[in-house]
Amino acid sequence: QVQLVESGGGLVQPGGSLRLSCAASGSIFSINGMAWYRQAPGKQREFIAGITSGGSTNYADSVKGRFTISRDDAKNTVYLQMNSLKPEDTAAYYCSIFAVVSGPPRSYWGQGTQVTVSS
């Protein structure tokens, strides 16, 4: 089984920063990629940032230049550094991993952490 534990969400003022963490544990043979998504009420879940096993990154246009994704292989942890936060960044943020447990790779999801940007 795979467990993803997210932390770092909270309330922050516009222009502020937060750092989200997501630690993966369980019977994981390998992790092929890690990513962050977000979902606001009434909207579909959207891709925010991703990082491959080789370290390549990509970002949604809405967060490019403000957010940075990184990983720590020794800890099986992915991070999302969020700077210059805007009210429209308010959402539940979810981490995911594309991993092999047994059989072919598949996606696993965290339970989400709330980020609220407000004055």
Side-chain angles (χ1 to χ4, degrees), residues 4-51:
L4 302 180
V5 179
E6 301 182 29
S7 62
L11 176 65
V12 65
Q13 293 185 345
S17 297
L18 285 174
R19 190 190 192 207
L20 306 183
S21 299
C22 176
S25 62
S27 301
I28 303 171
F29 180 77
S30 64
I31 298 176
N32 295 341
M34 296 175 157
W36 289 95
Y37 292 74
R38 69 186 181 190
Q39 187 170 26
K43 298 179 63 178
Q44 292 204 38
R45 189 172 298 185
E46 64 173 333
F47 170 83
I48 297 301
I51 185 167

